[in-house]
Amino acid sequence: MGFFNFLKKQFIDVIEWTEDGAGILSYRYPMQDQEIQTGAQLTVRDTQLALFVDQGTVADLFGPGRHRLTTQNLPLLTNLKNWDKLFASPFKSDVYFFSTREQLDQKWGTTSTITLRDKDFGVIRLRAHGAYSYKIKNAKVFYKKVSATDEVFTTQNLDGQLKGLITSNMAGFLGQASTAFLDMASNQIHFGETLKQALAPAFEDYGLSLEKFFVQSITLPEELQAHLDKVASMNMLGDLKRYTQFQAAESLPLAAQNEGGGTASAGVGMGAGLAMGQMMSQALGGASGADKGEDPMQLIQKLHEMMTKGVITQAEFDAKKADLLKKI
């Protein structure tokens, strides 16, 4: 019984890989001191390639299909081993399977901020994140430059190398880009297409094909984003005077509809509306009111009344208050 088990262990008649597990890029068929029988059957599935390597030398590559291993379909290996036209004895050779599936939803992101000069905000620092997909295009190149003799090589083994490749190109691209930060969000599709073309040759150098590349977000660090939000709030306050004048005009019909009705009520309501509009106009005149000699503290008090009535927000009040305090 032991003798027959020994013979069974020594010869391989069927070579195949069921591709168990996600994210596996290459798999070395387990030989375990066995030899491949002459005429053995090699099965390569639709999403696979099979590569024969003899003592570190890359030999024959097989695409999808069922192959019977003979000297006719192993020409390079035949030359390496100096076989006769019809070899009869089993042979020893490493067999590597490669998955040609598209590896989807691979994440990338800048590990540190990218500094660039923006036409609106001057020198700023950015972060960028996105996703990409790739697949093995040239198994021989991938074996020589990437996977080598590893028994199993996965996307995780390659993740760091590809992320470094992407982020270095991203830094150069954004550093030379003339697009303002505020316009970058609307140009992310264009950025992705441009970077895909720029990165494709580097992926091919590893035997890979870059299938898709997306830029999903370009953001500022938290402290710079807070500063940008403050600037935006100040810009909003610049138009607040016109807004409050409009609100005052809108309030006139409502004031005239006070309980009690009649011409007298309408007159009182209109007077109240006009008084409120005048107060908001003076309070929001900002620097112009202060230039006329009006006490900034009184303006701040008027602004506070407007905030309590819900005409302006707390953030708008704080910003205008800080501006007026500078004039004291």
Side-chain angles (χ1 to χ4, degrees), residues 17 23-28 96-99 136 142-143 146-155:
W17 176 38
I24 299 178
L25 295 173
S26 71
Y27 168 79
R28 186 175 69 188
Y96 293 87
F97 284 92
F98 298 88
S99 173
I136 293 178
F142 186 81
Y143 169 79
V146 183
S147 62
T149 59
D150 288 4
E151 292 184 5
V152 176
F153 195 91
T154 68
T155 54

Side-chain angles (χ1 to χ4, degrees), residues 103-156:
Q103 305 301 322
L104 301 171
D105 199 27
Q106 304 298 307
K107 304 296 185 182
W108 66 267
T110 53
T111 54
S112 58
T113 56
I114 300 170
T115 303
L116 56 89
R117 186 178 300 278
D118 185 79
K119 64 181 182 181
D120 294 326
F121 304 110
V123 177
I124 59 174
R125 300 192 308 277
L126 300 178
R127 294 184 183 277
H129 299 82
Y132 65 103
S133 67
Y134 66 90
K135 64 182 181 181
I136 293 178
K137 180 180 180 181
N138 190 322
K140 291 184 178 181
V141 172
F142 186 81
Y143 169 79
K144 290 179 180 180
K145 293 191 174 183
V146 183
S147 62
T149 59
D150 288 4
E151 292 184 5
V152 176
F153 195 91
T154 68
T155 54
Q156 291 183 345

Side-chain angles (χ1 to χ4, degrees), residues 6 17 26-27 41 81 97 157 166 214 227 288 293 297:
F6 173 77
W17 176 38
S26 71
Y27 168 79
Q41 177 180 291
K81 290 185 172 293
F97 284 92
N157 298 127
I166 291 171
F214 304 103
H227 174 71
S288 60
M297 295 303 296

Side-chain angles (χ1 to χ4, degrees), residues 176-191:
Q176 298 176 2
S178 58
T179 305
F181 170 74
L182 294 178
D183 298 326
M184 285 185 177
S186 61
N187 284 276
Q188 286 179 186
I189 295 177
H190 172 68
F191 287 169

Side-chain angles (χ1 to χ4, degrees), residues 10 150 168 213 243 282:
Q10 291 298 303
D150 288 4
S168 62
F213 188 87
Y243 170 74
Q282 291 175 350

Side-chain angles (χ1 to χ4, degrees), residues 74-308:
L74 288 169
L76 296 180
L77 196 60
T78 299
N79 291 336
L80 288 173
K81 290 185 172 293
N82 296 315
W83 284 329
D84 294 329
K85 293 182 178 180
L86 295 175
F87 69 96
S89 61
F91 65 95
K92 177 75 174 179
S93 182
D94 290 321
V95 181
Y96 293 87
F97 284 92
F98 298 88
S99 173
T100 57
R101 295 178 184 272
E102 184 175 352
Q103 305 301 322
L104 301 171
D105 199 27
Q106 304 298 307
K107 304 296 185 182
W108 66 267
T110 53
T111 54
S112 58
T113 56
I114 300 170
T115 303
L116 56 89
R117 186 178 300 278
D118 185 79
K119 64 181 182 181
D120 294 326
F121 304 110
V123 177
I124 59 174
R125 300 192 308 277
L126 300 178
R127 294 184 183 277
H129 299 82
Y132 65 103
S133 67
Y134 66 90
K135 64 182 181 181
I136 293 178
K137 180 180 180 181
N138 190 322
K140 291 184 178 181
V141 172
F142 186 81
Y143 169 79
K144 290 179 180 180
K145 293 191 174 183
V146 183
S147 62
T149 59
D150 288 4
E151 292 184 5
V152 176
F153 195 91
T154 68
T155 54
Q156 291 183 345
N157 298 127
L158 193 57
D159 186 60
Q161 181 72 16
L162 294 182
K163 281 184 178 178
L165 178 67
I166 291 171
T167 53
S168 62
N169 278 270
M170 174 63 71
F173 175 77
L174 290 180
Q176 298 176 2
S178 58
T179 305
F181 170 74
L182 294 178
D183 298 326
M184 285 185 177
S186 61
N187 284 276
Q188 286 179 186
I189 295 177
H190 172 68
F191 287 169
E193 294 173 350
T194 303
L195 282 164
K196 180 178 181 293
Q197 296 176 0
L199 289 165
F203 273 70
E204 289 181 2
D205 193 50
Y206 291 129
L208 303 172
S209 171
L210 179 59
E211 297 296 305
K212 299 179 181 66
F213 188 87
F214 304 103
V215 178
Q216 296 173 326
S217 68
I218 301 176
T219 59
L220 293 168
E222 291 184 4
E223 66 275 11
L224 290 180
Q225 185 62 53
H227 174 71
L228 180 60
D229 292 341
K230 184 176 181 180
V231 171
S233 297
M234 295 301 293
N235 289 338
M236 290 174 61
L237 285 174
D239 291 331
L240 191 57
K241 180 179 178 180
R242 287 189 299 172
Y243 170 74
T244 52
Q245 289 173 341
F246 170 77
Q247 288 289 86
E250 287 285 296
S251 68
L252 294 180
L254 296 176
Q257 294 173 12
N258 284 339
E259 189 174 350
T263 306
S265 296
V268 172
M270 183 173 294
L274 290 172
M276 178 63 74
Q278 183 179 11
M279 182 192 74
M280 290 187 293
S281 177
Q282 291 175 350
L284 290 169
S288 60
D291 291 341
K292 294 177 181 178
E294 193 165 357
D295 185 2
M297 295 303 296
Q298 293 180 355
L299 291 175
I300 291 174
Q301 180 62 33
K302 293 177 181 179
L303 283 169
H304 186 270
E305 293 175 6
M306 293 168 60
M307 182 189 70
T308 58

